[in-house]
């Protein structure tokens, strides 16, 4: 690496940067000594970090300027970067050949502005902002026309911009590169086209003094033509170019020569524009300059496209990451070895885990091994190797810090390419976990409440049944008393006791048999009542539907004033046994019969009949139908008849049909109703004749 010092007489002095740090200043011990009072004793330093070199101002009085910009912080140096230290011009070069072939750097003299009015072409009275110094003018011209040097600079520009992903940095570096290529340039502007409005907006501008916040004059005519045609424009001499005589902004400006070139986006339309101008008479841009600028613009377009793509990907990543982090469902990504790659906040919080002890660990090792279950391992292995998505595997586990969890686990490979082998790092799994603990607890609570409600419904029938039970037990008990009294009378008569004849013995035995028979009948009735109201768990077995119907009819006769109502039973022969909870199904039929009897009693005449039909369906299920010829159910109530607390009775609770439908649905079927005022009401439901399948949910602790 070298630092080249340009003297005012046109000579050059080359310093090899062999140390880690090179000090430039007025003090004699400086490696590069600049003997001028304006230069500070230790003005600035150039130091190396790895393969890169940086310039740093050492709190000098007059500052250090790189490529026209005063530096406040350490600044990385690139090939052919210009360094201005007071009145001393230096250049940073990377190779000896580049140093020897260096073509010079633009230097400016302070010059008193002339306010003379232009008198015509070539009058020499043009207003200038800056002019080339006499001693560097020949070198600047050689740079402007030395294609080899410009190609070297172009290669450096392409290399430097290739690794830049920040748009603002790209604009700044592009402006610096333009002044390195064209020392005669007065100003340079970079415009970026808004993809929505298709309008070019200034992204950065700079003049030859290194000032960024300037108001650079732009010709709307030129920019508009570039936008419309997509081609670059070169105006070698503004005052002689007749095609732009109508452009007032060009004719009245100080511009003497200019280049305006676009770069195109993926849609083929201009995505950005580089605008360069000079105000120095005779220092005109050439066709070669246009070609070089077009190449620079193309390189800039690629760099801006990369930067924009990087920004879009970065924003998309941040957006997706915010969504993942705020998702309530725990999410975790594992690699082909089932090691945790990343997880969201919900995963850590839900299962009491920490980042330091989770990432990089195998899923099976987390916590106390709750995830190390054969079913889960097998299904995840299958998803990883076959690319078949895992959906809602139900698992239950006890976590030490957060307690019991019931989980639904789903997983899929992040990459859909089936060619990615299982053993490659790309074959990652995204595991989504839905915690259904509260839902399961709620369902368990609902089941418990339904059990309680069912029990309450059965218990509520006891009051109604009590009168019927008393009536039904009255005659057997009377018979028991009478038979018992008769036996006592016979036994108290000594004459009849002694030498009992066979006839008397027969009478006593017959009476005792009647007593036993009636007592047994009372016992059966009481047992049926006790079984009906007893709180119990669901117990499904195969039962005879005829026995269930018989028990329900007996209880229905006791439950309501339906003794005189005609009840017809139509039960098919040879019906298969049904897979049911006998007590629950008896409750449903009982409730339907009681409702039917009450519907008949509501009619003024009290006439009507109830039919209980039981038949085999096409699906080999047993259908039970209870039909009455009562007044029917009102239309406004019919659609809500199965809702809780909906009733047509003055003293009804409105829970019987709701419970009956719940029981029917628990047996895998539905309770249906058909009612009208002409034909009465029919309730029907079906009962399965095959054993239900056992749930396939996996449970582990």
């Amino acid at each position: 690496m070298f630092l080249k010092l340009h003297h005012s007489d046109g000579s050059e002095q080359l310093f090899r940067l062999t140390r880690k740090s090179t000090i430039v200043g007025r003090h004699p011990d400086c490696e590069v000594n600049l003997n001028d009072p304006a230069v500070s004793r230790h003005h600035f330093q150039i130091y190396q970090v790895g393969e890169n070199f940086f310039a740093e101002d050492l709190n000098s009085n007059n500052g250090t300027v790189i490529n026209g910009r005063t530096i406040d912080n350490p600044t990385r140096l690139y090939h052919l970067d210009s360094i201005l230290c007071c009145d001393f011009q230096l250049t940073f070069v990377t190779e000896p050949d580049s140093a020897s072939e260096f073509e010079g750097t633009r230097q400016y003299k302070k010059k008193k502005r002339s306010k003379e009015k232009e008198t015509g072409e070539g009058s020499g009275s043009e207003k200038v902002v800056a002019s080339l110094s006499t001693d560097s003018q020949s070198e600047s011209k050689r740079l402007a026309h030395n294609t080899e040097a410009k190609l070297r600079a172009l290669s450096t520009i392409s290399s430097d911009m290739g690794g830049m992903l920040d748009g603002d940095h790209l604009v700044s570096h592009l402006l610096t590169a333009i002044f390195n290529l064209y020392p005669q340039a007065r100003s340079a502007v970079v415009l970026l086209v808004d993809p929505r409005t298709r309008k070019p907006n200034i992204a950065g501008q700079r003049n030859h003094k290194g000032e960024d916040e300037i108001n650079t004059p732009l010709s709307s005519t030129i920019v508009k033509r570039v936008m419309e045609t997509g081609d670059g424009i070169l105006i070698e001499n503004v005052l002689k170019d007749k095609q732009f005589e109508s452009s007032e902004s060009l004719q009245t400006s100080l511009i003497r020569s200019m280049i305006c070139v676009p770069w195109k986006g993926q849609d083929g339309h201009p995505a950005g524009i580089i605008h360069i101008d000079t105000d120095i008479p005779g220092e005109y841009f050439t066709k070669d300059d246009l070609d070089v600028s077009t190449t620079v613009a193309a390189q800039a377009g690629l760099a801006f496209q990369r930067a924009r793509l990087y920004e879009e990907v970065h924003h998309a990543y941040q957006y997706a990451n915010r969504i993942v982090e705020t998702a309530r469902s725990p999410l975790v990504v594992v690699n082909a070895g089932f090691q945790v790659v990343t997880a969201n906040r919900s995963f850590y919080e839900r299962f009491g885990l920490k980042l330091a002890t989770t990432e990089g660990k195998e899923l099976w090792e987390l916590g106390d091994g709750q995830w190390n279950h054969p079913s889960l391992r097998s299904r995840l292995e299958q998803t990883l190797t076959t690319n078949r998505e895992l959906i809602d595997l139900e698992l239950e586990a006890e976590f030490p810090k957060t307690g019991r969890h019931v989980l639904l686990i789903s997983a899929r490979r992040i990459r859909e390419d089936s060619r990615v082998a299982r053993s490659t790092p790309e074959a990652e799994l995204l595991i989504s976990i839905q915690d259904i603990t509260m839902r399961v607890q709620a369902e368990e609570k609902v089941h418990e409440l339904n059990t309680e409600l069912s029990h309450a419904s059965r218990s509520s029938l006891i009051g109604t049944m009590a009168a019927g039970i008393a009536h039904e037990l009255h005659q057997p008990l009377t018979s028991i008393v009478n038979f018992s009294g008769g036996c006592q009378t016979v036994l108290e008569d000594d004459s009849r006791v002694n030498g009992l004849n066979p006839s008397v013995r027969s009478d006593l035995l017959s009476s005792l048999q009647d007593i036993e028979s009636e007592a047994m009948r009372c016992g059966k009735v009481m047992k049926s009542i006790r079984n009906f109201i007893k709180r119990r768990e669901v117990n499904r077995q195969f039962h005879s539907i005829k026995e269930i119907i018989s028990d329900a009819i007996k209880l229905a006769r006791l439950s309501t004033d339906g003794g005189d109502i005609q009840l017809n039973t139509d039960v098919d022969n040879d019906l298969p046994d049904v897979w049911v909870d006998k007590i629950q199904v008896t409750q449903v039929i009982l409730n339907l019969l009681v409702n039917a009897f009450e519907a008949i009693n509501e009619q003024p005449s009290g006439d009507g009949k109830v039919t209980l039909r039981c038949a085999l369906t096409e699906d080999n299920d047993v259908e039970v139908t209870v039909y009455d010829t009562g007044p029917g159910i009102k239309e406004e109530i019919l659609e809500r008849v199965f809702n809780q607390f909906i009733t047509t009775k003055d003293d009804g609770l409105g829970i019987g049909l709701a419970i009956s439908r719940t029981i029917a649905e628990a047996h895998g079927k539905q309770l249906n109703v058909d009612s009208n005022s002409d034909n009465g009401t029919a309730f029907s439901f079906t009962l399965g004749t095959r054993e239900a399948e056992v749930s396939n949910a996996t449970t582990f602790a």
Side-chain angles (χ1 to χ4, degrees), residues 380-388 413 422:
L380 291 181
E381 281 275 359
Q382 184 181 9
T383 301
L384 194 62
T385 54
T386 65
N387 203 17
R388 292 182 59 186
R413 277 180 36 177
R422 178 205 175 284

Side-chain angles (χ1 to χ4, degrees), residues 281-552:
E283 290 296 317
Y284 304 130
F285 295 118
T286 66
K287 180 63 170 59
D288 289 341
D289 294 329
L290 177 64
D291 293 340
V292 171
S293 299
T294 302
T295 304
V296 171
Q299 295 294 329
L302 293 175
F304 277 105
Q305 185 175 335
R306 282 192 298 268
R308 180 170 294 177
L309 180 61
Y310 171 80
E311 183 178 6
E312 290 176 355
V313 171
H314 182 64
H315 286 170
Y317 170 79
Q318 289 183 323
Y319 180 72
N321 190 56
R322 285 194 295 268
I323 293 177
V324 169
E325 281 300 309
T326 55
R328 293 184 178 182
S329 297
L331 300 172
V332 59
V333 176
V334 298
N335 60 19
F338 293 101
Q339 295 171 320
V340 176
V341 177
T342 185
N344 68 347
R345 184 186 308 167
S346 179
F347 180 80
Y348 292 110
E349 293 177 351
R350 190 69 56 89
F351 305 115
L353 299 172
K354 295 183 178 179
L355 177 66
T357 57
T358 299
E359 286 194 359
K361 300 289 185 180
E362 288 190 5
L363 182 65
W364 330 123
E365 299 176 353
L366 301 183
D368 293 335
Q370 291 86 355
W371 305 96
N372 188 18
H373 188 272
S375 176
L376 178 62
R377 295 189 68 151
S378 174
R379 297 297 298 275
L380 291 181
E381 281 275 359
Q382 184 181 9
T383 301
L384 194 62
T385 54
T386 65
N387 203 17
R388 292 182 59 186
E389 188 173 355
L390 170 63
I391 300 176
D392 291 348
L393 175 66
E394 183 174 326
L395 300 173
E396 183 175 343
E398 187 75 26
F399 291 85
K401 294 184 179 180
T402 58
R404 170 178 172 262
H405 291 272
V406 182
L407 310 172
L408 288 180
I409 296 181
S410 301
R412 65 175 300 168
R413 277 180 36 177
I414 296 178
R415 291 190 60 178
E416 295 294 337
D417 189 354
S418 59
R419 293 173 296 176
V420 178
R422 178 205 175 284
S423 57
T424 59
E426 292 85 354
E428 294 179 338
L429 283 182
L430 171 63
I431 302 174
S432 172
I433 305 163
Q434 183 182 0
D435 193 337
I436 61 170
T437 306
M438 295 184 67
R439 189 180 80 186
V440 171
Q441 291 174 347
E443 290 174 351
E444 291 173 350
K445 186 65 175 177
V446 168
H447 175 71
E448 180 182 345
L449 291 175
N450 280 335
T451 302
E452 293 291 337
L453 190 58
S454 178
H455 172 256
S457 175
R458 295 194 298 270
S459 299
S460 69
L461 293 175
I462 292 178
T464 307
M465 294 167 60
I469 292 173
H471 175 75
E472 187 69 19
L473 292 180
H474 176 70
Q475 289 186 359
L477 289 176
T478 301
S479 298
I480 291 172
V481 172
N482 292 336
F483 290 139
S484 176
C487 289
Q488 291 178 12
T489 301
V490 172
L491 291 175
E492 289 174 353
D493 189 347
D494 294 338
S495 62
R496 298 186 67 180
V497 171
N498 292 326
L500 285 175
N501 57 47
S503 176
V504 173
R505 177 181 172 83
S506 177
D507 291 336
L508 289 174
L509 287 175
S510 177
S511 298
L512 290 173
Q513 287 174 354
D514 290 335
I515 292 172
E516 181 182 10
S517 176
E518 293 299 320
M520 288 180 66
R521 190 166 75 87
C522 291
K524 288 182 179 179
V525 172
M526 296 303 298
K527 184 178 180 180
S528 297
I529 296 173
R530 286 197 305 270
N531 286 339
F532 180 75
I533 65 174
K534 182 180 179 181
R535 183 179 304 179
R536 52 192 292 283
E537 293 296 325
V538 176
N539 181 22
R540 293 184 186 177
Q541 296 181 4
F542 283 107
H543 293 282
S544 168
I545 187 61
K546 292 184 178 181
E547 292 181 3
I548 295 175
I549 290 173
S550 178
D551 290 345

Side-chain angles (χ1 to χ4, degrees), residues 82-135:
S82 171
I83 305 174
L84 187 63
C85 178
C86 297
D87 291 333
F88 292 92
Q89 182 73 49
L90 303 99
T91 302
F92 176 78
V93 291
T94 58
E95 301 174 3
D97 290 342
S98 298
S100 61
E101 295 175 3
F102 179 72
E103 299 299 330
T105 303
R106 180 173 186 176
Q107 298 180 4
Y108 297 98
K109 285 184 178 181
K110 295 179 181 178
K111 200 167 187 179
K112 200 169 185 179
R113 302 287 180 182
S114 172
K115 296 186 179 179
E116 297 179 10
K117 189 175 182 180
E118 290 183 359
T119 57
E121 181 182 345
S123 64
S125 59
E126 299 158 313
K127 191 191 303 183
V128 296
V129 173
S131 63
L132 285 171
S133 60
T134 305
D135 50 14

Side-chain angles (χ1 to χ4, degrees), residues 552-590:
I553 291 174
K554 291 179 182 178
L555 292 171
R557 290 296 191 186
L558 295 174
S559 302
T560 186
D561 186 13
D564 298 330
I565 297 176
Q566 180 183 351
L567 173 62
N568 299 327
T569 58
D570 181 11
V571 181
D572 289 353
N573 295 325
D574 301 324
L575 287 176
D577 290 346
V578 289
W579 176 255
V580 295
D581 183 305
K582 182 178 180 181
I583 300 299
Q584 287 189 350
V585 174
T586 301
Q587 180 182 352
V588 175
I589 298 175
L590 170 61

